[in-house]
Amino acid sequence: MLALRLTRGAHPAVQLRRALVALASAGTGFLLLCSLGYAMSHADHVTSSMLRLAWCLTPMAATVHLAVAVARTDPATRPRPGLSAIGLGPGRLMTISATTTALSCTLGSLLALVLFLQLRGDLAGAPLEGTAAQFLAADQPLPFPAAVTLLALVPAIASATVALILRPRDAQPATARPMRGYGRFGAYGRSVARETFGAYGRFGAHGRTTGGRTAEPAEPAGAAESADAAAPSANGSGPAEQAAAVPAPDPDPTRPPGPRTAPAGLPWGIAVLAAGLAVEAYADRAGDGSRLALPGGLATGAPGVLAGWVLTALGLALAGPGLTHLCGRLLQSARPGALRLLAGRVLMEEATRIGRPLGVVCAVASGVFAMTALLDAHEPGFGPLSTFGTLLVAGCTVATLLTAAVEAKHERADTTAALLRLGAPATMLRSAAALRAGALLAAFAPLTLIVAELAALPLAHR
């Protein structure tokens, strides 16, 4: 009931994102039901039926990716101070997010079932005829257990993925296990780190010789602070005067934080991308003549070529955060001004949040470009279901990227408000956003075209 209340009372923008999840789930469920109808109409073509069912994994993955992105930006399930006192801790909020995702996806699955039954003529009117009849199997009774099982896949997988991504994590650092026995220099007790042999030499030296004088051994930081706080100084100043003499930290909240370390996925992404292109070329040259016809009038090719396509898309997704971080670093090179510095720091901070959806968009765009480049005037174009599936995957990936951009904007809302209070013009912030978009476009657009051309080469002379 709490999940239903939070869903009903959400902001219109949040409701729009949830409606997009429901529509994506409806489209994926409709494709799954059409695969079931094709299998019922073509009982002798088991391989083709399994291939069509496996082809639905791509829109299913895109739908789950969108559902996770929407759940991460849901303000109703974001942890806030004081919610644990009323029983809304991180675990309960994670459960609410998973339940809300399951409700949205279930609504989409019900819409897909109603549409499929309507086209079959089970609810009202006559069933469709022509080429659509082979995907509906209107002359056969629909097995509802199989249909319900297929429609339950998207809500179950999406809610489980949201629960896994948003699960509570322990923020406390793990401490090393203490060692029993003799501690430092023979003292009995517990020791966290092992003592090295060189420590005995340093202890016996009683300090280091500097300019003919022997310096006292350095005390631990905690002991020195305790001694300074307990005893007054030589001029009679106590702890209060000493604390006043210590320089205060910079209270300026608008200073951009230090950039995070570069994401570690760039080398792996480049390696997987190169491996995918190599697998495509080798599979096309060393193929045994077996061809795999993709459903809906798509290109045909060897199974190894299709496996290479999958590796290529995975490599782009892995390399996206690293490339985004690199774009931010390049923006700050060669004596940057305030505009380039702000745009580059934001890109480096949001490399993981923006880069991975951007890499997925580039992977989908390169795949679509490669498939459309293979079509010529002598072959038919995409079938209706293939066109619908392609639009569904492209729409889900673009919506996921926009949702991640909205999440990043919300994360830096405090910094943006502080800059505006200090007198920064709003045009500067808009110019920084345009500069970030232009840098990403200049980096990812040529990469997408190059990968698409290389991916289409093995199938160009089929």
Side-chain angles (χ1 to χ4, degrees):
M1 295 300 295
L2 181 58
L4 288 175
R5 291 182 179 179
L6 291 176
T7 302
R8 183 183 58 184
H11 194 269
V14 179
Q15 298 286 14
L16 177 60
R17 292 195 290 267
R18 291 171 180 171
L20 291 177
V21 174
L23 290 177
S25 177
T28 306
F30 183 76
L31 291 177
L32 290 172
L33 291 178
C34 289
S35 300
L36 176 61
Y38 182 87
M40 293 169 56
S41 302
H42 302 78
D44 299 334
H45 301 79
V46 180
T47 304
S48 180
S49 301
M50 293 298 297
L51 182 60
R52 292 177 183 273
L53 185 61
W55 199 247
C56 296
L57 294 178
T58 303
M60 184 184 300
T63 302
V64 172
H65 195 200
L66 175 61
V68 172
V70 171
R72 288 171 59 93
T73 58
D74 194 346
T77 57
R78 184 173 301 173
R80 300 183 187 89
L83 291 181
S84 299
I86 59 175
L88 294 179
R92 184 71 181 278
L93 292 178
M94 179 268 295
T95 305
I96 294 175
S97 298
T99 305
T100 304
T101 303
L103 290 176
S104 301
C105 294
T106 302
L107 178 60
S109 298
L110 292 178
L111 291 177
L113 180 60
V114 171
L115 178 61
F116 187 75
L117 294 178
Q118 178 67 31
L119 295 179
R120 277 172 50 91
D122 295 339
L123 298 180
L128 293 181
E129 298 179 356
T131 58
Q134 60 178 342
F135 301 105
L136 300 176
D139 55 343
Q140 302 180 24
L142 181 66
F144 277 95
V148 171
T149 301
L150 291 177
L151 291 177
L153 289 178
V154 176
I157 296 176
S159 58
T161 306
V162 168
L164 181 63
I165 296 298
L166 301 182
R167 69 186 186 278
R169 295 177 176 84
D170 190 7
Q172 297 180 356
T175 57
R177 185 177 180 180
M179 295 176 55
R180 295 182 180 273
Y182 292 95
R184 184 176 179 87
F185 309 124
Y188 184 77
R190 298 176 180 266
S191 177
V192 176
R194 294 185 60 185
E195 194 67 56
T196 60
F197 179 77
Y200 291 92
R202 293 193 301 271
F203 179 76
H206 293 286
R208 294 173 296 180
T209 302
T210 305
R213 301 177 59 185
T214 303
E216 292 296 329
E219 292 182 329
E225 293 173 1
S226 300
D228 293 340
S233 60
N235 55 3
S237 60
E241 290 80 5
Q242 295 178 5
V246 176
D250 188 7
D252 187 5
T254 63
R255 177 178 296 177
R260 299 178 181 176
T261 58
L266 182 58
W268 290 101
I270 295 176
V272 174
L273 177 61
L277 295 176
V279 167
E280 292 179 27
Y282 178 78
D284 185 70
R285 290 177 179 270
D288 55 354
S290 61
R291 315 296 285 182
L292 189 61
L294 302 183
L298 296 177
T300 61
V305 175
L306 302 180
W309 276 13
V310 174
L311 289 178
T312 302
L314 181 60
L316 285 174
L318 290 177
L323 290 177
T324 304
H325 190 275
L326 182 60
C327 289
R329 185 173 293 276
L330 291 178
L331 279 178
Q332 302 176 77
S333 60
R335 294 184 179 181
L339 182 61
R340 285 198 294 139
L341 184 63
L342 178 61
R345 282 294 179 90
V346 170
L347 278 183
M348 295 175 68
E349 287 293 325
E350 299 172 356
T352 303
R353 183 181 291 113
I354 298 296
R356 185 159 289 118
L358 186 58
V360 174
V361 169
C362 291
V364 173
S366 63
V368 173
F369 181 82
M371 288 186 295
T372 53
L374 295 175
L375 297 178
D376 51 19
H378 302 285
E379 294 184 359
F382 291 169
L385 291 182
S386 298
T387 304
F388 176 72
T390 303
L391 293 177
L392 176 62
V393 172
C396 287
T397 53
V398 172
T400 303
L401 179 60
L402 295 179
T403 304
V406 171
E407 180 186 6
K409 182 180 179 181
H410 290 167
E411 289 294 332
R412 63 174 185 272
D414 296 338
T415 304
T416 303
L419 288 173
L420 293 177
R421 287 196 304 268
L422 291 177
T427 56
M428 179 181 178
L429 301 179
R430 289 193 292 266
S431 300
L435 183 60
R436 293 195 301 269
L440 293 178
L441 184 62
F444 281 90
L447 177 63
T448 303
L449 294 178
I450 292 174
V451 171
E453 289 290 343
L454 294 177
L457 283 179
L459 300 179
H461 305 286
R462 61 185 186 276

